[in-house]
Amino acid sequence: MPEPRELLRFAVVGLAAYGVTLLGDYSLKLTVFREKPVTALFFATVASTAFAYLLSRRWSFAGRGGHHRVREATLFFVVNAGAVAVNLVPPLVSRYVLHLAVPHVGFVAQEVADFVSGMVLGTLSGTAFRWFGYRRWVFPRSAPPVGIARPGGLPQLVVSEKQG
């Protein structure tokens, strides 16, 4: 069972990253990537991933983690690469399998389909993937210490005696 505070913080970071994705996606889609909406979503998602890593490390999962920062960051971006792939499946299906794009449908229908498939369905499925991946691989619970490390690097078992 997830810790409620951790889940709430994950949700807050996710909403903030969603805002970065939404702003970035529509900024790119309506300017430089007019003909490439999936590419616009890809770049917006990559930017929001970097943003989310900083907030996740410092706040959402600050009490977790047993990895060195480089390994942790690498795992974070690997999990997010998987989440980006999961996130892009619905808009790819919408545009290129179902043909919910101009000229097959009107412009408004295309934009509604893009929003629902990419920003709603894609984000929900990617978020579920991230939640599992972050808790399992990126920010795992550290094992409780067994003993106290001695200068030689070997742990020393600590035994407490009961006072009777």
Side-chain angles (χ1 to χ4, degrees):
M1 183 79 178
E3 195 176 304
R5 176 177 284 167
E6 189 176 80
L7 183 58
L8 178 62
R9 288 179 176 185
F10 174 79
V12 169
V13 169
L15 284 172
Y18 181 77
V20 171
T21 304
L22 190 63
L23 180 64
D25 179 43
Y26 280 97
S27 296
L28 293 170
K29 185 177 170 179
L30 297 175
T31 58
V32 295
F33 289 120
R34 287 181 188 265
E35 301 299 317
K36 304 214 180 269
V38 177
T39 303
L41 181 58
F42 169 80
F43 282 114
T45 303
V46 169
S48 72
T49 298
F51 172 77
Y53 174 70
L54 296 173
L55 290 179
S56 293
R57 170 70 281 171
R58 298 285 182 195
W59 190 52
S60 297
F61 298 103
R64 287 178 165 258
H67 302 298
H68 294 296
R69 294 294 183 246
V70 172
R71 181 164 190 242
E72 179 184 272
T74 302
L75 288 170
F76 186 89
F77 284 96
V78 166
V79 166
N80 276 284
V84 168
V86 168
N87 193 94
L88 294 177
V89 169
L92 286 170
V93 169
S94 175
R95 280 276 177 140
Y96 304 111
V97 175
L98 300 177
H99 302 289
L100 296 176
V102 172
H104 304 288
V105 297
F107 179 76
V108 172
Q110 169 187 282
E111 293 306 307
V112 169
D114 283 352
F115 182 80
V116 170
S117 64
M119 299 309 292
V120 177
L121 297 176
T123 299
L124 288 174
S125 56
T127 299
F129 185 88
R130 283 180 181 93
W131 173 250
F132 174 78
Y134 291 173
R135 290 176 49 86
R136 175 79 169 104
W137 297 300
V138 182
F139 305 113
R141 283 268 182 230
S142 298
V146 176
I148 300 172
R150 294 189 309 205
L154 299 173
Q156 176 183 354
L157 184 59
V158 177
V159 179
S160 62
E161 295 181 18
K162 285 188 173 182
Q163 300 281 331

